[in-house]
Amino acid sequence: MAETANLATAPNRMAKRDPRREGAAGSRRVFIRKETLIALLFVLPGLALAILFKLVPLLRGIWLSFLETRGFEDPTFAGLANYRTMLADPSVHDSFRNALIAFATLPVWIVLPLVLAFLLFQKTPGWKFFRAAFFLPYMIAPIVVGIMFRQILAPDGPLNAVLRAIGLAPLAIEWLNGPTSALLALTAVALWSFFGLGVLTYLSGLSTVSEEVVEAAKLDGAGFWRLLFHIIMPLLKSVIGYWAVLCTSGILIWMFPLIYALTKGGPGTATVLPEFLVFTTTFQFLDRGLGAAIGMALFVFVAIVSAFVVRRMYVEGAQKK
Amino acid sequence: MTSTSLAAGGRRRSARAMLAGLAFASMTALAGPAALAADTTTIRVLNWEPGGADYWKALVAEFEKQNPDIKVELETVPFDRYPEVQGPYITTKSGPDVMENNAGLELFDRRRAYAELPPEVLEAGKDLITYSGGCLNFDTTKACYGLPFGYQGNVMYYNKKVLAEAGLDPANPPKTWDEMGAACEKVKAVGKTCLAIGLSGIFPAYWDFPEIARNYLTEDDMRAMLAGKMPWTDPKMVNILKGLASITEKGWTNSSAPSITMLPDGADIFQSGNAAFAGTIISDAVNWAAFGKVLGDENLGAMRWPTLVADAPLANSFSGIESSVFGVTSWSDKKDAAFKFVKFIAGKENAELLTKIAGGISLNKNVDPSVMPKSQALSQILEIIKTPTLHAGVLLSGQEADALARGWQEVALGRLSVEDWTGRMQKALEQSPSKRQ
Amino acid sequence: MTATAASDKMTVSSMRIVLARWLVTAVLVVLAVVTLYPLIFTVINSLKTRAAYSADPLGFLTDITFENYLETFERMKVWRLLLNSIITTAGGLVLSTVAALFIAYAVTKLKMRGGNYIFLFVIAMLVIPSQVIIYPLYETILDLGFGGTYQGLILAYAAFGLPLGTYLLSAYFRAIPDELIEAARLDGAGDIRILFSILLPISTPAIAALSILNFVWMWNDLLLPLVIMGGSEKKTLMVGVALLSGQYDVSIPLISAGLIVALAPVIVVYMLFQRQILSGAIAGAVR
């Protein structure tokens, strides 16, 4: 009976074996699918967040840029009209020009924190206090920063008072009145806010630099600056690259609350950067279609600049190696 | 085994019974207030708390006392970020039941978001000195979208002590442009600023422009401005720009003017006693009461802006405008309750609260004058507001106000000519959504 | 003779070193003053009366008054707003970090196909300007049903903080040797266990660094709470502080007091996490 049972089940088993063989291949397929599935599950939350709260609004924004929006009347499709207006509008050109001028200060944003970090790295007396002090500005909301500096940069403010006291009276100009000086002051204030973050970033980078390399260079007679530029910088290439990208988006995007608080884009349009122009166009001029078009231009601009910065940093890094 | 399972079952059953009892109890507890809530309507009111938080606490309390079946949920947003919150509500036709906007073009631009006020609500407006700022084109026979409660407009405050110090008669401040010029020379001679002003931001457009405009425009001209039919190249408008430019060109102002804001920086210069004049507003306690508190009520005076054209028809009028206007949103599903709120806004109780707590000047004719604080500046203001006319500032579109303020900054710095400023203003007019022809 | 000459040279050079050190300290002190002065300025302002501030904006205190702080607490429901900020910021931080951890793990350790594209996509979301997407973001939030809710703001914060987190954690994970993971897998550990029992403890420095960065901007942000919460009572502390300046009533001492109140928690958090931030986290990450 067991034999007949076996015989009975044998063809079944045979039949079962075949699909199992396919199943073997199939289970190999299942195995791969399972792995990708798991990976997908891991990626899903973040991807969903990024898509829902950034990509979808961005796409809707692109759609908005193709609409003509007169105040709060019903929008009508207008194709590339907003883009044509934008390209012809001198205030848009001016804002991007201001952005480029502000962006030209990027080397200072990159190098100054590095120098300071290296100084602190020497563990001069009180370095821990300085480290904390430098980071403090980052924690202060931009609104406050704007209000504070409007007072500090006033013609009779403390900055000018100090400049006059140390004999630099010709420098005690009306900082926020002149177009270039206002833009410069704005960038300087932004740098003031941000540089502590850079110092911290570089400091942690420096802590990965091996002692021996530095010692060897010192024994070779390398002074502070040579150490910094010829030994440290190449070693920290990727940290510098990361910080550079952060600064790029910081200068081009993050400055908005600061502009609003400090100068409101004035005097005239001297400190209007594209992000601020998007704000006034959308909310003061009630033209959100045009605002979206300018915003898209800004997005492309920032993306290109960031990609450029990244490539330079990493290409150089590769070349050095 | 059976006994323990029975016991266990028993325990389980009693646990379940307890849970069931708890659930039932909590449901009835929730149902209690829920049942009550079913009888009250909650309306959401979006505002920037004009007049201050204390005033609004009292306002809501008084309204809810009068209307026990309506609950008010205040959604208060900072004034300068209001467009960023209101805008998306309007485009998505969702959100609050009651909103506010400044009277004039700002309200008209958003009329599609508001429900037209029915006649029974407009009844409440009959007790107001005026409510045309909430109606299309300032015409109460046309559609009205909201009712106001406070009055607003521009005066020039002066510091009597500074005037005396400069050798001027504090009882007789300058009335004409030339007198102002002479006075400023004397004030500058004692080392003080003559006219404290801040050109950053759009307040100069709303506060100073109308005062100069009254010298050159008639009410018909202003209506043409509103309709976009008054080009900035018109000689009248150019004269206004020239008038504004002369304020800074003649050195009447503080040198920091182009880069400071009127509030708080410019006002602070005046409050600190370092300036003789400041052109601000009458609305809320902020200016006459705040200045009076800091400088001393006896030192503060209020006057009309000096005239450029003394015999102009509107030269001695007052640029008056309803401050903010509250209306019912077109998408609200609680319009009845919301209309009641709007009626309350225009009513007598709110007027008294405004005067007593916020120190504002009410539009309601039935306000007991004895409720108002005693202050010489206030009595002067009350005289000035007796001859109102249209307020040219609220006829400016967002583009025009922006171009006006920024242009003035550059003119003050000598970097822009009045002609080019005129060109910019004209371009701004042509880009204004409601003024494009 | 050579010995003395040599020792002379050493004293000269050691003097130079001492001088250099003092110069460096001087420079750092100047910078620290520049860094700290505005904050001190704000604190001083917060202790002045309005009149005293108008009279002498830049002077020192003559009479200390706490009326500004009292008024801040009266006008804002500080504790409720503080709670709102804590809920939304903590929620956004946790969600953002967890999502970033997952992506970093999938991209660097699971080596999924197309992982790099996903990585780049998430990072690219960093450069979208915020002003542009106010209207579309609100519309999307409304469509998802999150208008005026804690969840909406938490999710938005998480989405905005995700790129930075993904970048830092991915780089940090890449530096962790694969053998560690392999060994754990051979031991039979599942992916979740590997992630939370092995990688997470190792990455605490990176997570701490990431957290303080995200925490600061989430705490100080005004735009997202305004767009998502509007004026509802779930608004954050920063929005409350912005409300201290009314339409025509702008008092610098009052705003200063409000801002100090809003800043205090940030400083506390910074003090607590100082060591983690500086323990080689970021550079270890981007090596």
Side-chain angles (χ1 to χ4, degrees):
Chain A
M1 205 138 74
E3 279 178 330
T4 34
N6 276 342
L7 278 170
T9 51
N12 287 345
R13 250 187 278 133
M14 294 283 286
K16 270 200 203 123
R17 202 169 285 140
D18 267 339
R20 225 186 292 149
R21 202 175 289 123
E22 275 175 37
S27 65
R28 237 183 280 129
R29 256 185 278 126
V30 166
F31 180 64
I32 293 174
R33 254 188 275 131
K34 184 173 163 227
E35 206 177 52
T36 334
L37 190 67
I38 292 186
L40 271 175
L41 280 177
F42 269 103
V43 170
L44 195 62
L47 207 57
L49 280 175
I51 291 180
L52 285 177
F53 291 91
K54 293 214 114 171
L55 184 66
V56 167
L58 181 68
L59 294 173
R60 284 176 116 148
I62 297 180
W63 171 246
L64 187 57
S65 71
F66 294 135
L67 301 175
E68 189 194 341
T69 52
R70 280 178 67 156
F72 288 105
E73 296 170 29
D74 287 328
T76 54
F77 186 74
L80 294 173
N82 285 325
Y83 289 96
R84 260 178 262 136
T85 317
M86 180 184 79
L87 287 172
D89 190 352
S91 55
V92 176
H93 305 158
D94 285 342
S95 73
F96 277 97
R97 190 184 43 111
N98 288 340
L100 278 173
I101 295 178
F103 187 68
T105 58
L106 189 68
V108 182
W109 290 62
I110 295 182
V111 175
L112 177 67
L114 182 58
V115 172
L116 288 172
F118 196 48
L119 275 176
L120 288 184
F121 193 57
Q122 312 295 329
K123 304 261 195 310
T124 52
W127 68 279
K128 278 204 179 136
F129 163 74
F130 291 123
R131 189 182 61 184
F134 292 162
F135 189 63
L136 194 63
Y138 175 67
M139 298 193 281
I140 306 180
I143 303 187
V144 199
V145 177
I147 295 179
M148 290 193 301
F149 276 93
R150 217 170 55 229
Q151 299 299 320
I152 294 177
L153 294 172
D156 296 318
L159 178 66
N160 283 350
V162 164
L163 286 173
R164 285 188 202 110
I166 61 176
L168 285 173
L171 267 184
I173 60 175
E174 293 173 347
W175 291 97
L176 295 178
N177 275 357
T180 5
S181 61
L183 191 54
L184 199 67
L186 179 71
T187 320
V189 172
L191 182 60
W192 175 90
S193 280
F194 237 21
F195 86 101
L197 195 58
V199 171
L200 247 66
T201 309
Y202 285 133
L203 262 181
S204 50
L206 283 169
S207 67
T208 65
V209 169
S210 67
E211 293 280 330
E212 297 98 48
V213 178
V214 179
E215 283 309 314
K218 274 199 186 141
L219 284 173
D220 272 349
F224 176 83
W225 297 104
R226 272 203 64 203
L227 255 182
L228 184 61
F229 286 113
H230 291 128
I231 314 285
I232 302 291
M233 272 187 95
L235 284 174
L236 291 183
K237 257 310 181 215
S238 49
V239 183
I240 297 180
Y242 157 77
W243 175 243
V245 175
L246 220 56
C247 286
T248 307
S249 62
I251 294 178
L252 297 174
I253 299 180
W254 176 89
M255 282 228 264
F256 168 74
L258 200 60
I259 300 178
Y260 188 82
L262 190 65
T263 60
K264 293 205 168 40
T269 51
T271 53
V272 172
L273 268 65
E275 178 90 334
F276 192 80
L277 190 59
V278 172
F279 170 75
T280 48
T281 310
T282 309
F283 294 103
Q284 253 183 276
F285 302 168
L286 301 183
D287 193 348
R288 55 194 192 282
L290 181 58
I294 302 177
M296 290 309 136
L298 177 61
F299 172 58
V300 170
F301 182 72
V302 177
I304 291 179
V305 170
S306 304
F308 174 70
V309 166
V310 166
R311 178 154 312 148
R312 277 219 71 204
M313 288 291 136
Y314 286 106
V315 159
E316 276 191 25
Q319 279 178 346
K320 273 272 152 69
K321 289 195 194 107
Chain B
M1 210 152 92
T2 19
S3 54
T4 35
S5 59
L6 262 179
R11 253 184 276 130
R12 252 181 268 128
R13 249 180 273 129
S14 53
R16 251 183 270 141
M18 274 195 327
L19 278 171
L22 198 64
F24 182 72
S26 52
M27 275 199 300
T28 40
L30 287 171
L36 283 173
D39 292 328
T40 62
T41 326
T42 308
I43 52 170
R44 289 165 61 184
V45 176
L46 182 70
N47 72 350
W48 60 72
E49 271 180 352
D54 293 330
Y55 161 62
W56 274 87
K57 263 198 216 123
L59 193 163
V60 170
E62 180 65 34
F63 175 76
E64 287 182 345
K65 206 173 81 182
Q66 284 186 9
N67 298 277
D69 57 339
I70 307 181
K71 196 166 169 317
V72 172
E73 204 180 286
L74 272 188
E75 292 189 11
T76 308
V77 174
F79 172 65
D80 54 355
R81 310 300 287 253
Y82 191 78
E84 285 164 271
V85 179
Q86 191 194 30
Y89 281 147
I90 297 182
T91 53
T92 56
K93 295 194 176 48
S94 71
D97 302 293
V98 175
M99 298 195 298
E100 75 170 303
N101 276 112
N102 285 312
L105 192 56
E106 183 182 308
L107 179 70
F108 305 158
D109 274 340
R110 291 160 176 77
R111 60 186 181 277
R112 297 170 121 253
Y114 286 101
E116 216 182 296
L117 293 180
E120 59 267 18
V121 177
L122 288 179
E123 274 305 302
K126 299 287 185 285
D127 281 336
L128 299 176
I129 299 175
T130 173
Y131 63 93
S132 59
C135 305
L136 198 55
N137 293 339
F138 294 99
D139 189 347
T140 51
T141 62
K142 296 221 164 72
C144 293
Y145 301 101
L147 285 180
F149 58 106
Y151 206 25
Q152 192 170 286
N154 308 106
V155 293
M156 176 90 69
Y157 291 98
Y158 56 93
N159 186 331
K160 294 185 193 166
K161 225 167 77 175
V162 173
L163 286 184
E165 219 181 286
L168 296 161
D169 180 7
N172 242 343
K175 291 192 180 47
T176 68
W177 215 243
D178 293 327
E179 285 173 23
M180 186 73 172
C184 280
E185 291 306 310
K186 290 202 172 144
V187 172
K188 285 199 295 188
V190 296
K192 306 257 183 196
T193 305
C194 188
L195 178 64
I197 198 170
L199 297 177
S200 184
I202 48 166
F203 281 139
Y206 291 122
W207 293 358
D208 307 336
F209 172 78
E211 303 310 299
I212 311 292
R214 275 203 330 271
N215 291 287
Y216 300 107
L217 301 179
T218 63
E219 282 199 8
D220 285 332
D221 290 332
M222 294 194 200
R223 287 182 201 277
M225 254 191 83
L226 181 59
K229 293 195 166 58
M230 172 69 89
W232 284 88
T233 45
D234 187 296
K236 297 181 192 178
M237 304 300 275
V238 178
N239 278 334
I240 303 176
L241 294 180
K242 285 194 184 147
L244 288 172
S246 70
I247 297 177
T248 40
E249 272 164 17
K250 290 188 204 249
W252 293 358
T253 59
N254 41 304
S255 64
S256 54
S259 51
I260 61 170
T261 56
M262 189 63 211
L263 283 183
D265 307 334
D268 276 346
I269 297 181
F270 181 73
Q271 269 185 151
S272 63
N274 285 322
F277 300 94
T280 67
I281 52 167
I282 67 169
S283 170
D284 301 312
V286 174
N287 289 169
W288 54 263
F291 288 165
K293 192 157 149 230
V294 175
L295 294 172
D297 277 331
E298 67 286 359
N299 276 329
L300 183 70
M303 65 183 200
R304 285 194 188 82
W305 275 61
T307 57
L308 280 142
V309 180
D311 54 359
L314 298 179
N316 289 314
S317 301
F318 167 69
S319 300
I321 182 72
E322 299 85 334
S323 37
S324 50
V325 164
F326 279 79
V328 174
T329 56
S330 53
W331 56 80
S332 169
D333 53 1
K334 301 179 180 143
K335 288 208 174 71
D336 291 327
F339 281 134
K340 287 199 188 131
F341 187 79
V342 171
K343 284 183 81 164
F344 175 81
I345 286 279
K348 183 159 171 280
E349 297 84 9
N350 182 29
E352 282 175 357
L353 287 174
L354 177 69
T355 325
K356 266 204 305 237
I357 304 184
I361 296 181
S362 167
L363 281 167
N364 197 302
K365 298 178 202 150
N366 299 330
V367 171
D368 184 2
S370 65
V371 185
M372 306 206 95
K374 310 277 167 282
S375 135
Q376 210 226 335
L378 180 57
S379 354
Q380 286 173 305
I381 291 175
L382 291 173
E383 270 305 306
I384 296 175
I385 68 175
K386 285 189 177 154
T387 48
T389 181
L390 288 176
H391 188 287
V394 303
L395 308 173
L396 296 169
S397 69
Q399 278 91 336
E400 289 171 312
D402 187 76
L404 189 74
R406 290 190 198 279
W408 195 0
Q409 285 174 332
E410 296 194 69
V411 166
L413 290 167
R415 288 206 294 272
L416 187 71
S417 67
V418 175
E419 280 144 30
D420 289 336
W421 192 10
T422 312
R424 285 195 196 175
M425 294 304 302
Q426 182 58 25
K427 203 170 131 224
L429 170 68
E430 286 158 14
Q431 288 170 338
S432 309
S434 49
K435 294 190 180 181
R436 270 181 269 187
Q437 300 301 313
Chain C
M1 209 162 84
T2 16
T4 39
S7 61
D8 280 346
K9 229 197 278 175
M10 275 203 302
T11 359
V12 167
S13 68
S14 55
M15 263 172 58
R16 239 186 259 140
I17 292 181
V18 169
L19 197 66
R21 279 188 103 91
W22 279 109
L23 194 64
V24 164
T25 313
V27 166
L28 291 176
V29 166
V30 167
L31 273 173
V33 168
V34 167
T35 323
L36 292 176
Y37 174 73
L39 184 64
I40 298 176
F41 183 61
T42 307
V43 173
I44 291 181
N45 284 342
S46 70
L47 297 169
K48 281 185 183 169
T49 61
R50 274 186 91 153
Y53 176 79
S54 313
D56 190 9
L58 300 157
F60 275 123
L61 289 169
T62 39
D63 300 301
I64 298 188
T65 170
F66 288 102
E67 64 183 33
N68 297 311
Y69 287 98
L70 284 173
E71 200 180 329
T72 302
F73 276 84
E74 257 174 42
R75 282 170 65 157
M76 292 202 279
K77 296 196 187 108
V78 174
W79 302 111
R80 176 69 205 261
L81 296 184
L82 188 64
L83 184 69
N84 291 341
S85 280
I86 292 177
I87 292 178
T88 50
T89 308
L93 260 182
V94 167
L95 188 57
S96 165
T97 311
V98 168
L101 274 171
F102 280 4
I103 296 187
Y105 182 62
V107 169
T108 57
K109 293 307 170 198
L110 290 181
K111 306 219 193 315
M112 65 174 290
R113 267 188 312 192
N116 277 324
Y117 291 115
I118 294 186
F119 177 73
L120 272 173
F121 169 69
V122 170
I123 304 294
M125 296 289 106
L126 184 64
V127 298
I128 299 180
S130 338
Q131 285 298 323
V132 180
I133 57 174
I134 292 186
Y135 273 99
L137 182 64
Y138 180 73
E139 282 164 26
T140 310
I141 298 239
L142 203 63
D143 288 341
L144 293 170
F146 286 131
T149 59
Y150 284 127
Q151 310 89 285
L153 189 54
I154 290 176
L155 290 170
Y157 274 159
F160 277 64
L162 188 64
L164 197 63
T166 309
Y167 180 82
L168 282 179
L169 288 174
S170 301
Y172 202 77
F173 279 8
R174 264 200 204 105
I176 296 177
D178 286 348
E179 294 80 47
L180 207 59
I181 317 289
E182 292 303 319
R185 281 233 188 86
L186 284 173
D187 273 350
D191 287 309
I192 298 281
R193 263 205 67 197
I194 296 180
L195 185 58
F196 284 103
S197 318
I198 302 181
L199 289 176
L200 186 60
I202 301 183
S203 337
T204 16
I207 294 181
L210 170 66
S211 297
I212 188 71
L213 289 185
N214 271 338
F215 175 77
V216 170
W217 79 257
M218 284 180 190
W219 189 264
N220 289 335
D221 190 42
L222 209 47
L223 188 65
L224 286 175
L226 275 176
V227 172
I228 298 177
M229 302 293 207
S232 77
E233 50 171 21
K234 301 199 188 75
K235 58 167 81 94
T236 59
L237 191 59
M238 218 52 204
V239 176
V241 169
L243 273 172
L244 287 175
S245 64
Q247 184 182 12
Y248 300 126
D249 179 11
V250 186
S251 158
I252 301 255
L254 182 63
I255 301 178
S256 305
L259 288 159
I260 299 292
V261 169
L263 182 61
V266 182
I267 296 195
V268 165
V269 170
Y270 171 69
M271 295 296 184
L272 289 175
F273 289 98
Q274 242 191 114
R275 271 195 347 164
Q276 270 91 334
I277 306 169
L278 303 162
S279 55
I282 301 183
V286 297
R287 201 185 339 204

